Amino acid sequence: MKKLNNKVALITGSVRGLGKAIAERYAAMGADIVINYSKDQVSADEVLKNIKAMGVKAIAVQADVSKLVDLERLFAEAKAAFGKIDIVVANAGIEMVEVPVTEFTEEQFDKVFSINTKGTYFTLQQAAKYIENNGRIIYIASSTTSFPVPGMAVYGGSKITPRYLVDILSKEIGHRGVTVNSIIPFAVDHSGIFAEADSYPELRKQLLDSCPMRRLAEVEDVANVAEFFASDLSSFVNGQHLLVNGGAIN
């Protein structure tokens, strides 16, 4: 059943990992898709081809989310192409882990916060301006905002501010029937820093030991929740932060 027929979904950072999985899930549900990428046009073209093969409309827009002018153009082009935007997923971000507080440089700090904090803030701002009444806004947060992990001070800190923004925005535009929620994934296998099976072995072990289900998340686990938040089933779920972490305790 195509539960998202006649809907338009914009997903930032959607040429790989979680963003790609969510874009493909929404397309499978019948939504027209706005793909966003920063630099990798080859991957964007491939994702665009796969999504169009599902029988929906799609466009790919290059935009650096750390630049407001790019975000304004992204949303304007999406509106011009489809006439409306019903679902926005603020997914674009970068990870930087296993760096102690005492070793983080100003350059690294600025890079992480410019994308994860500033970029997400203005993505949510533009979403609030463009989203149709009864629309859905979803932020992809991080479990580091719930469970502090050594070596992730700047990464986790950069993801906390947008989580607070979800709380505020859900109250400011809730009267329009728009829901604003966040998904808080556990570390995701085969994606991000764990794209390679042998990457970050000590961190992987630490995370596996903390999870009762003895595995990391998969992109499908997060896409399942993104499906719920985009659907009518979540029409009265607003300002919430849903952990997708298999019961992990840290």
Side-chain angles (χ1 to χ4, degrees):
M1 184 176 179
K2 303 284 189 177
K3 296 180 181 179
L4 296 182
N5 274 348
N6 302 315
K7 300 293 185 181
V8 176
L10 184 160
I11 305 97
T12 63
S14 42
V15 300
R16 61 178 57 82
L18 294 179
K20 176 175 178 284
I22 293 169
E24 291 177 343
R25 177 67 62 88
Y26 288 170
M29 296 174 67
D32 295 327
I33 304 296
V34 180
I35 296 164
N36 161 247
Y37 67 101
S38 177
K39 297 177 180 178
D40 191 352
Q41 184 175 347
V42 173
S43 294
D45 290 343
E46 183 66 23
V47 174
L48 191 64
K49 177 182 176 181
N50 292 340
I51 285 178
K52 286 183 175 179
M54 298 182 191
V56 300
K57 299 176 183 177
I59 62 171
V61 181
Q62 185 282 327
D64 181 345
V65 300
S66 69
K67 300 176 181 178
L68 178 56
V69 65
D70 277 22
L71 281 170
E72 290 174 336
R73 177 173 51 78
L74 168 63
F75 278 82
E77 288 189 20
K79 181 69 177 285
F82 295 111
K84 63 172 184 170
I85 303 172
D86 301 288
I87 303 161
V88 174
V89 181
N91 167 74
I94 60 171
E95 295 176 275
M96 196 169 289
V97 303
E98 294 189 342
V99 182
V101 170
T102 54
E103 295 181 14
F104 241 98
T105 67
E106 181 179 16
E107 181 181 9
Q108 290 173 323
F109 182 97
D110 288 346
K111 181 179 180 180
V112 172
F113 268 76
S114 69
I115 296 174
N116 293 357
T117 308
K118 177 187 174 183
T120 303
Y121 181 94
F122 285 107
T123 297
L124 296 180
Q125 181 196 70
Q126 294 301 304
K129 291 180 178 181
Y130 277 88
I131 200 82
E132 294 289 304
N133 289 345
N134 302 308
R136 303 285 184 265
I137 299 175
I138 303 161
Y139 165 51
I140 306 299
S142 164
S143 60
T144 58
T145 62
S146 297
F147 305 104
V149 179
M152 298 191 186
V154 172
Y155 172 67
S158 73
K159 301 290 281 188
I160 286 176
T161 298
R163 182 172 164 176
Y164 181 70
L165 178 59
V166 165
D167 295 332
I168 302 300
L169 195 57
S170 67
K171 294 173 173 59
E172 290 185 350
I173 62 175
H175 66 281
R176 294 172 48 203
V178 177
T179 66
V180 188
N181 297 290
S182 72
I183 301 173
I184 307 176
F186 195 47
V188 181
D189 216 353
H190 312 110
S191 179
I193 63 171
F194 292 116
E196 304 297 330
D198 59 350
S199 57
Y200 297 94
E202 292 184 10
L203 179 58
R204 179 186 290 269
K205 182 181 186 305
Q206 176 187 346
L207 293 168
L208 288 173
D209 288 345
S210 75
C211 183
M213 300 187 76
R214 293 295 185 267
R215 70 174 179 87
L216 302 185
E218 296 287 353
V219 293
E220 290 80 9
D221 296 316
V222 182
N224 289 340
V225 180
E227 175 180 336
F228 167 71
F229 276 143
S231 74
D232 290 339
L233 294 175
S234 66
S235 60
F236 203 58
V237 180
N238 192 28
Q240 301 302 306
H241 311 280
L242 183 53
L243 276 164
V244 184
N245 73 339
I249 57 174
N250 59 54

